[in-house]
Amino acid sequence: RGDVYLTENWLNIVTAAWDYERAEGWVKAYSNEGKGNWLRRATSGNADALNDYKLSGVRWREMLHLGEGGEITTGMDYDLMEGTSISVQPGAAPQRKFGPEKFRLVSAYAGWNQIWKSGEIEVIPSLGSRYYDHEIFGHATSTQAGLVVRRGSSQWHVSAGRAVKFPGLDVAAFSVVAIPALGQSWRSLGPETLDQYELGWKGEFDRDTTIELTLFRNEGKDRYVFVPPPPPPFQFLNIETFRTQGAELMMTTRPSDGLTLFGGVSLLETTPDDLPYSPKWSVVGGATWQLSSRLTLNVDGSYSSSQYAGSQARANGAPNTERVGAHALVNARLAYGLTDRTGRDRGEGFVAGENLLDRDYRYRPGYPMTGIGGTIGLRWKL
C-alpha cells in the first residue's frame, strides 16, 4: 500500500467530417501519450518501473447511403504503438531497459446492411468483414453477419461474428524487464480470437410492456500465455481457450401514465470457472415515478452473486485466487423541474442517494467501495 504510481497522459485528436446526400464520413488523426512510473523500491523491495508510451494514428470511415434502406460502411485504420520501460532494481543490481520498440497495425473494413419491408414483415440482413495486417504478429480476418426479422409486435434476431486481439508491447517488454528467459519467443505469437453467437426475441404488448430474451455464447481461443519448463525453453505460446455462455431476460412496463418499471436477470456460465468479473447471477430492477408535473423519483437496484476478480494471469494454467462476495445496491434520485415565467423548461434541482443500504462491497479484494452517500445539485439551461 506504500507503493506510488505516478501517471501523466496527453490525448490530442483532430477530426475532419463531411455530410452529403448520399455519403457521409470523417477522418481522425490522434496521439495518446504519457508516462506510468511505479515506484516500489523504498516500500516493497521490488524494482521501480519507469514507463513511457505513445499510441498514434489515423482513422477514416465512410458511409454510403444506397437508397431504399441500404447502406455500406467502409474505412481504414493505421495505428502505431511505441514505448520504453526501465526496471531499476533494488541495491546494486543493474538496470534492465526495454525499447524504444514500435508495433504497426493496419486494418481495413467494409460492411453492408439492408432493410426490406413487405406488409407487416421487415427483414434486416447485415454483413461485414475486417482485414488486419500486423508487422510482427501476422495477418487476420474477422467477419460478422446478422439478421433481424420483425412481424407485428415480435422481433427475432440472430448474429455471429469474430473478434481479433493482437498482443501489445507488453509481451516484448515483459521478455526484457521481467523474465529475460522468454527471449524472442514473443515474435512467434499470433492474435487471439473470440467467436460470438447470439439469438434473441423481443415482444411488445399492451401498457408499453416489452419483454426481451437473449441467449449468447462466446468461444475464445489462442489466448497467449508464458509457459515455463519443463520441457524447456521458457516461451510465449497461443494455447489457452475459454468460453462464456448464458441468457438474459429483460422486461419494461408502464402500468400507469406516471409509472414505468423495469427488471432483468442474467445467468452466466464460464469455462474455466475462475474467469474474472463473471457472476453466475445478476439481477437489476428499478422504477421511474412521475409524482407530479415537476417532481420525478427514480429508484434502481442491483444484485450480483460472488465472483472472481482481478485480471486473469498470463501464466499457463494459473488459477485466479482473488474473489469478492455477493452484494446488493440500491440508489435513488428525486428531481424537481424548473421553469421560467413562460413555462419553458430551464433545468432541475435534485437530490440523489447511492448505496442507500450502506452495503460493504468491493470489486477487488482490499479496495472497498464507498458506503452510503448523497448528492445535491442544480442544473440550469441558459
Side-chain angles (χ1 to χ4, degrees):
R1 292 180 180 271
D3 295 354
V4 176
Y5 195 70
L6 303 177
T7 61
E8 176 184 313
N9 184 78
W10 287 90
L11 174 61
N12 301 285
I13 302 175
V14 176
T15 303
W18 51 92
D19 189 352
Y20 299 99
E21 182 179 355
R22 291 289 186 178
E24 61 181 290
W26 47 256
V27 61
K28 298 176 183 284
Y30 72 95
S31 174
N32 184 13
E33 59 183 307
K35 300 177 181 292
N37 295 329
W38 193 2
L39 308 180
R40 307 187 292 166
R41 284 188 301 164
T43 54
S44 61
N46 294 305
D48 289 345
L50 311 179
N51 307 295
D52 295 278
Y53 61 88
K54 183 176 182 180
L55 176 64
S56 58
V58 178
R59 301 191 173 189
W60 162 69
R61 172 174 290 186
E62 190 76 24
M63 288 153 282
L64 305 176
H65 307 296
L66 305 179
E68 299 181 356
E71 185 177 75
I72 291 178
T73 301
T74 186
M76 179 175 291
D77 298 342
Y78 175 89
D79 299 302
L80 183 64
M81 294 143 275
E82 50 189 310
T84 63
S85 182
I86 300 175
S87 179
V88 183
Q89 306 294 318
Q95 295 184 3
R96 296 176 183 173
K97 181 178 180 181
F98 161 77
E101 183 74 62
K102 294 182 180 181
F103 287 174
R104 174 191 54 79
L105 176 63
V106 179
S107 64
Y109 58 91
W112 163 84
N113 65 276
Q114 179 72 46
I115 300 177
W116 288 316
K117 294 182 179 181
S118 178
E120 65 173 359
I121 298 178
E122 183 177 82
V123 179
I124 308 174
S126 59
L127 293 170
S129 182
R130 182 189 284 261
Y131 175 77
Y132 301 87
D133 178 32
H134 197 291
E135 67 173 334
I136 302 294
F137 303 119
H139 313 293
T141 301
S142 64
T143 57
Q144 55 275 336
L147 179 66
V148 177
V149 178
R150 297 191 182 107
R151 182 177 182 181
S153 60
S154 295
Q155 172 182 299
W156 297 264
H157 76 268
V158 60
S159 63
R162 167 167 289 187
V164 175
K165 178 184 178 182
F166 286 90
L169 287 169
D170 59 306
V171 295
F174 195 83
S175 301
V176 174
V177 299
I179 306 181
L182 287 166
Q184 298 293 304
S185 64
W186 58 270
R187 293 183 177 273
S188 64
L189 291 176
E192 303 173 352
T193 61
L194 179 70
D195 293 324
Q196 304 170 309
Y197 309 95
E198 187 172 298
L199 175 66
W201 167 83
K202 176 181 178 181
E204 297 177 348
F205 306 94
D206 294 338
R207 297 186 179 275
D208 293 331
T209 300
T210 301
I211 300 176
E212 297 183 58
L213 175 63
T214 303
L215 308 177
F216 59 88
R217 182 183 178 97
N218 303 312
E219 298 178 348
K221 64 179 181 179
D222 296 331
R223 183 175 184 265
Y224 69 85
V225 292
F226 59 86
V227 182
F234 209 141
Q235 60 184 322
F236 271 114
L237 292 174
N238 292 99
I239 58 174
E240 284 200 344
T241 61
F242 62 92
R243 184 184 71 236
T244 62
Q245 60 184 8
E248 183 179 89
L249 177 66
M250 293 292 296
M251 179 177 178
T252 303
T253 187
R254 191 178 181 185
S256 64
D257 290 341
L259 180 63
T260 300
L261 306 174
F262 77 91
V265 59
S266 65
L267 172 64
L268 183 63
E269 179 186 69
T270 68
T271 304
D273 60 5
D274 61 350
L275 290 183
Y277 304 110
S278 303
K280 290 185 177 181
W281 286 96
S282 298
V283 180
V284 297
T288 298
W289 190 4
Q290 193 73 38
L291 300 173
S292 68
S293 60
R294 293 192 181 187
L295 197 61
T296 304
L297 175 65
N298 298 97
V299 179
D300 66 83
S302 65
Y303 169 83
S304 293
S305 62
S306 62
Q307 57 190 295
Y308 288 93
S311 59
Q312 197 79 3
R314 287 287 179 178
N316 183 36
N320 193 345
T321 59
E322 294 191 341
R323 191 175 179 89
V324 295
H327 63 269
L329 300 174
V330 176
N331 312 299
R333 184 178 189 271
L334 183 65
Y336 184 80
L338 303 175
T339 61
D340 58 18
R341 295 179 179 178
T342 65
R344 183 180 175 186
D345 177 27
R346 286 299 190 182
E348 64 178 9
F350 66 88
V351 57
E354 297 182 349
N355 192 9
L356 296 179
L357 302 180
D358 199 24
R359 297 300 189 189
D360 179 15
Y361 73 104
R362 58 209 67 204
Y363 294 107
R364 185 163 188 176
Y367 294 87
M369 302 299 291
T370 56
I372 187 171
T375 304
I376 298 176
L378 175 68
R379 181 174 59 87
W380 183 258
K381 300 178 184 178
L382 298 178

